[in-house]
Amino acid sequence: MATPSPAKSMGDPGITPLSPTHILNDSEENETTRHPYVVVVAIDFGTTSSGYAYAFTKEPECIHTMRRWEGGDPGVSNQKTPTTILLTPDKKFHSFGYAARDFYHDLDPTESKQWLYLEKFKMNLHTTAELSDQAGSDFDNADVRWVITVPAIWKMPAKQFMREASYKAGLVSRDNPDQLIIALEPEAASIYCRKLRLHQMVDLGNKTAFNGYSPTENVGMGMTQAKEHVRRNRQSRTFLVENVIGELWSELTEGDRYVVVDCGGGTVDLTVHQIRMPEGHLKELYKASGGPYGSLGIDYEFEKLLCKIFGQDFIDQFKIKRPAAWVDLMIAFESRKRAATPDRSNPLNINLPFSFIDYYKKFRGHSVEHALRKSNVDFVKWSSQGMLRMNPDAMNALFKPTIDHIIQHLTELFDKPEVTDIKFLFLVGGFAESPLLQQAVQKMLQGRSRIIIPHDVGLTILKGAVLFGLDPSVIKVRRSPLTYGVGVLNRFVEGKHPPEKMIVKDSTRWCTDVFDTFISADQSVALGETVKRSYTPAKPSQQVIVIHVYCSEKESVSFITDPGVRKCGTLKLDVSGTESPAARREIQTLMQFGDTEIRAMAVDVATSRSVKASIDFLSQ
């Protein structure tokens, strides 16, 4: 198989590769004529917990959330199920979520070592049985538009991995890729927040008393009331979305800007949107940013504290020898973690499993109480009821590294010239419920923006993902996270090109490794906008053209060998079956960058036949 690498663009090779030709497609029309889906199902695979929601296309204002999961923890809402999977000793699937965790917990300690218990990861698992119950009639998977959420900071290989997993799980077929769309989590949250009514949110930026409480008391108190409101209203599991724009959104005018901060278990995602009237479409102003600063960081800090008190060697052995008891301990910590507030004065008690106390005595030869007394950790005491008693400052200290990361990132974002005059900051995701995080964000903003927290904050992304599935064209303009391009040959220009890049072919001097930019990092790109390039097979008999795609975080790139440039994908054009008598065959390729995934299409210019085109980001 011949591979034109570096690829030479068609046209006069003495000038430059073909410049980008931008073509705007009517994405709305394509969307409505492609497939009349009966229902849209969104799946949110969180690092710590997962859930699903759906809406029928004939009733788009009714979003149904998942059935109440069996199981659950005291003090922790079970509107989602843990992202945990249990595999049998022969690596076969056994159960998922609470069912997996509870079964694993009940296994004999020696037997549990043979089972594989995986938690805090992202995966997918679902059936359409409940949808048939709701619809009152059977329908097959082809009637379902699936939406899977991913963090905005995920790169293309991770998004492709989720798509490949969906194909493998039988969620959708490779023959119908449009049936599955990838939603970016902060975008989904942004779409949902447009629909908020005043009674569906907590406004931390309110200068007046909120339900009788002063603004300083709003931190935590508003969320407590919101949780109670949600608990009372969760019986129906159906959330009514207002057909009209939410009251909050009615305060926004053309050009107004807002930030969405999605604080989950694994990551924190930040995105900046601008409102475009009259339809209320959204434009991304600054490329998505963030990092691994989710609430899992607090769990890691707690584990480090245990290692400091009881020893790293013991904790490592305990996790291996008593894995189910370790899970129990972290569940107990999760419940107490959610009770941490800035002004709490009474201590937080964490249950130590009996097997922890028993195994420690066997391992060390003395008691847990002795270990606490001997350790230099004076803010954690032993309770006679068999509990670790942490004073509030100790618990708050576990939050500090994670919250400091988030505040640092927010501060850097607000220093950007594109991020000025921000009207609202929407705080979403499960970690947004933390009063400690809320207070830190308030302190950092100092009244520059109003902080809005939706009531059912853990389901914000799910509901927004359903709305995105119903209308994927709502985000009109995005920012490219990276610079993408390919390596090409240009006519060598003395004084412009480095001498070491010169090669001679057919008595002509060429400059190799030139980076032909498709799109630059942080460049605005409209939905449906495409970049056009033409390529030719190296030999008439060539069946497949393989072109390496390169990327960089830098906005300006000259050569594929520049520092920071790496090969990130492969563009494949299957030209078999499109043989042409033309001496030089031109394959015109269109690449779409304005969606949540990069897409490629191609056509043989001489015959007007469609050429199978694909971009692979995984096999690098």
Side-chain angles (χ1 to χ4, degrees):
M1 182 205 306
T3 303
S5 180
K8 187 167 72 175
S9 292
M10 289 286 286
D12 182 358
I15 310 174
T16 56
L18 285 178
S19 58
T21 306
H22 298 298
I23 302 169
L24 282 171
N25 296 329
D26 189 346
S27 53
E28 292 96 330
E29 186 180 330
N30 288 350
E31 195 57 47
T32 52
T33 56
R34 201 173 290 143
H35 190 287
Y37 294 108
V38 176
V39 66
V40 170
V41 181
I43 308 176
D44 178 16
F45 296 106
T47 306
T48 52
S49 58
S50 298
Y52 65 91
Y54 56 94
F56 293 95
T57 49
K58 289 183 179 176
E59 291 182 305
E61 69 282 356
C62 294
I63 298 178
H64 305 270
T65 52
M66 51 272 161
R67 287 184 176 138
R68 191 170 175 81
W69 296 95
E70 293 301 320
D73 309 319
V76 178
S77 166
N78 63 337
Q79 59 192 9
K80 290 185 179 179
T81 195
T83 310
T84 53
I85 187 170
L86 182 62
L87 304 181
T88 63
D90 57 351
K91 307 296 185 291
K92 296 285 195 318
F93 171 79
H94 180 271
S95 48
F96 178 75
Y98 284 117
R101 202 188 67 191
D102 294 346
F103 185 91
Y104 185 65
H105 173 270
D106 292 338
L107 286 171
D108 179 86
T110 53
E111 190 185 357
S112 65
K113 292 179 209 168
Q114 310 303 316
W115 291 63
L116 195 58
Y117 179 79
L118 306 168
E119 61 177 346
K120 297 182 173 75
F121 67 99
K122 297 203 172 192
M123 54 81 73
N124 61 40
L125 190 75
H126 193 57
T127 69
T128 57
E130 183 181 338
L131 301 175
S132 295
D133 294 344
Q134 286 282 331
S137 61
D138 287 339
F139 58 90
D140 63 25
N141 195 36
D143 296 319
V144 182
R145 153 62 64 82
W146 295 93
V147 184
I148 289 181
T149 65
V150 301
I153 57 171
W154 273 18
K155 300 290 192 288
M156 281 307 304
K159 293 177 188 176
Q160 187 180 334
F161 178 84
M162 292 300 278
R163 179 170 285 279
E164 290 294 329
S166 302
Y167 292 150
K168 209 163 186 179
L171 208 62
V172 296
S173 162
R174 288 183 194 277
D175 299 331
N176 190 14
D178 290 345
Q179 195 183 350
L180 169 71
I181 54 176
I182 301 292
L184 307 183
E185 288 165 4
E187 281 191 1
S190 176
I191 294 163
Y192 167 72
C193 288
R194 299 187 318 153
K195 302 285 187 177
L196 282 175
R197 304 303 296 260
L198 293 178
H199 66 274
Q200 295 168 336
M201 66 188 188
V202 176
D203 185 350
L204 294 186
N206 209 333
K207 298 290 185 289
T208 57
F210 175 83
N211 290 348
Y213 294 92
S214 70
T216 52
E217 291 171 305
N218 281 353
V219 176
M221 183 55 67
M223 286 310 297
T224 304
Q225 293 174 339
K227 285 180 190 175
E228 178 59 23
H229 172 82
V230 168
R231 188 192 62 76
R232 287 197 303 267
N233 288 282
R234 198 173 282 140
Q235 305 303 321
S236 67
R237 298 186 300 109
T238 300
F239 175 82
L240 288 175
V241 177
E242 302 292 339
N243 279 323
V244 296
I245 293 293
E247 289 156 312
L248 191 69
W249 213 255
S250 64
E251 296 182 37
L252 288 167
T253 55
E254 173 74 37
D256 275 351
R257 302 161 175 212
Y258 63 94
V259 170
V260 176
V261 183
D262 171 22
C263 307
T267 56
V268 169
D269 261 342
L270 295 89
T271 193
V272 187
H273 279 160
Q274 186 174 44
I275 189 77
R276 294 171 66 179
M277 296 301 184
E279 300 92 348
H281 289 142
L282 304 176
K283 174 183 179 180
E284 189 177 24
L285 281 184
Y286 185 74
K287 64 181 181 179
S289 59
Y293 320 132
S295 59
L296 269 185
I298 303 154
D299 297 355
Y300 296 143
E301 290 299 316
F302 178 60
E303 187 174 331
K304 277 161 64 177
L305 178 65
L306 292 176
C307 289
K308 190 174 179 181
I309 297 169
F310 303 108
Q312 175 90 48
D313 54 344
F314 166 72
I315 294 298
D316 289 346
Q317 277 302 302
F318 181 71
K319 285 160 78 172
I320 294 167
K321 301 290 187 184
R322 302 286 188 274
W326 175 256
V327 172
D328 277 353
L329 176 56
M330 294 312 292
I331 290 166
F333 174 70
E334 179 69 24
S335 175
R336 298 290 77 206
K337 184 170 80 175
R338 291 170 185 245
T341 60
D343 51 0
R344 188 184 177 102
S345 55
N346 53 322
L348 293 130
N349 294 322
I350 299 166
N351 270 311
L352 273 185
F354 173 74
S355 61
F356 185 100
I357 300 165
D358 182 57
Y359 189 69
Y360 183 79
K361 192 157 191 176
K362 289 175 183 170
F363 190 87
R364 288 275 189 247
H366 57 249
S367 68
V368 163
E369 186 179 1
H370 177 82
L372 277 160
R373 277 203 312 269
K374 288 291 183 187
S375 75
N376 295 322
V377 183
D378 55 358
F379 44 77
V380 180
K381 306 293 184 190
W382 177 246
S383 151
S384 56
Q385 287 83 33
M387 297 179 181
L388 288 180
R389 178 166 287 177
M390 295 182 72
N391 74 32
D393 289 343
M395 177 62 87
N396 295 359
L398 299 181
F399 280 73
K400 192 176 185 308
T402 300
I403 289 179
D404 283 353
H405 273 302
I406 296 169
I407 297 304
Q408 181 188 344
H409 208 95
L410 263 177
T411 303
E412 289 170 3
L413 182 71
F414 272 74
D415 285 343
K416 305 282 183 192
E418 304 94 330
V419 190
T420 53
D421 302 321
I422 299 297
K423 198 158 190 175
F424 297 115
L425 182 143
F426 292 103
L427 206 52
V428 303
F431 193 22
E433 290 182 346
S434 166
L436 292 168
L437 177 60
Q438 292 171 16
Q439 186 189 61
V441 174
Q442 270 189 308
K443 190 176 175 182
M444 172 256 159
L445 284 177
Q446 296 181 322
R448 281 183 287 172
S449 306
R450 281 167 64 189
I451 303 168
I452 306 294
I453 308 172
H455 274 186
D456 215 350
V457 72
L459 296 180
T460 300
I461 290 158
L462 257 182
K463 293 170 181 174
V466 173
L467 294 172
F468 180 64
L470 291 165
D471 179 16
S473 66
V474 66
I475 310 281
K476 289 294 184 191
V477 179
R478 290 183 173 88
R479 294 271 179 162
S480 176
L482 297 168
T483 295
Y484 289 97
V486 296
V488 296
L489 292 175
N490 270 9
R491 185 70 68 90
F492 188 84
V493 178
E494 203 76 50
K496 177 187 174 185
H497 294 137
E500 66 271 16
K501 295 287 184 187
M502 189 187 77
I503 61 170
V504 179
K505 290 181 77 174
D506 301 326
S507 303
T508 303
R509 297 194 308 168
W510 296 92
C511 180
T512 188
D513 295 339
V514 175
F515 190 97
D516 174 23
T517 303
F518 291 160
I519 192 166
S520 297
D522 206 33
Q523 180 182 328
S524 283
V525 56
L527 184 67
E529 194 172 329
T530 58
V531 175
K532 183 167 72 175
R533 291 288 189 277
S534 290
Y535 300 104
T536 183
K539 298 175 185 174
S541 59
Q542 192 171 343
Q543 300 292 298
V544 179
I545 300 176
V546 179
I547 300 163
H548 299 311
V549 179
Y550 295 85
C551 69
S552 172
E553 293 185 7
K554 295 178 182 175
E555 290 180 30
S556 179
V557 180
S558 300
F559 298 97
I560 61 172
T561 52
D562 285 358
V565 177
R566 60 187 174 83
K567 194 175 86 169
C568 64
T570 307
L571 172 64
K572 287 186 180 178
L573 306 174
D574 185 349
V575 293
S576 58
T578 60
E579 285 73 11
S580 164
R584 280 165 63 86
R585 292 169 62 198
E586 182 183 349
I587 309 299
Q588 195 174 83
T589 307
L590 299 176
M591 279 154 292
Q592 208 172 58
F593 289 91
D595 216 327
T596 57
E597 297 174 275
I598 298 172
R599 301 166 189 270
M601 300 151 280
V603 66
D604 188 316
V605 174
T607 62
S608 298
R609 286 184 186 171
S610 178
V611 171
K612 188 178 177 183
S614 62
I615 300 185
D616 180 17
F617 291 97
L618 274 178
S619 57
Q620 298 309 310

